[in-house]
Amino acid sequence: MKTTPTTVRLDDDLKKQLTKQLKSMGLSINGYFNLAARQLVIQKKVPFEVLSESDVPTEATKKAIVTAQAKELGILPDDAPTFNSVDELKTYLDKA
């Protein structure tokens, strides 16, 4: 089977972590990418679940969620402007 050289750019820290994890499984980076590529072709989808690093919201997100919930429950007044058209929105933004 003929192979084609391919370059993959990775963050240095990510490459170190990836190499360490793959080594513990007996795989190289090249072997892993070949495995993932073959599975994508066979399954016709990404062959693994894609997860975010953390499902824990940031402090800013937590505050925004609490504020939105408080407004929804009527604990805080919802003083956000509403608009019936794009023109109304544009006029409001021009005044700001």
Side-chain angles (χ1 to χ4, degrees), residues 4-60:
T4 303
T6 305
T7 302
V8 177
R9 298 190 185 280
L10 297 173
D11 173 271
D12 288 338
D13 189 49
L14 175 61
K15 183 179 178 185
K16 287 176 190 172
Q17 292 176 44
L18 178 62
T19 302
K20 182 179 177 180
Q21 291 291 321
L22 290 172
K23 186 176 180 181
S24 72
M25 298 174 201
L27 287 169
S28 65
I29 291 177
N30 187 60
Y32 172 73
F33 281 112
N34 271 289
L35 176 70
R38 288 181 189 279
Q39 286 302 304
L40 187 137
V41 170
I42 291 167
Q43 296 179 32
K44 296 181 179 39
K45 65 176 187 148
V46 175
F48 47 83
E49 185 178 2
V50 178
L51 305 172
S52 64
E53 283 192 39
S54 173
D55 289 337
V56 178
T58 63
E59 287 303 312

Side-chain angles (χ1 to χ4, degrees), residues 63-80:
K63 288 177 184 177
I65 291 170
V66 169
T67 301
Q69 289 172 336
K71 287 180 179 181
E72 191 174 281
L73 295 170
I75 298 168
L76 289 175
D78 188 353
D79 54 358

Side-chain angles (χ1 to χ4, degrees), residues 83-94:
F83 308 99
N84 294 316
S85 69
V86 173
D87 290 333
E88 284 183 23
L89 170 61
K90 286 180 181 179
T91 301
Y92 175 81
L93 291 174
D94 286 339

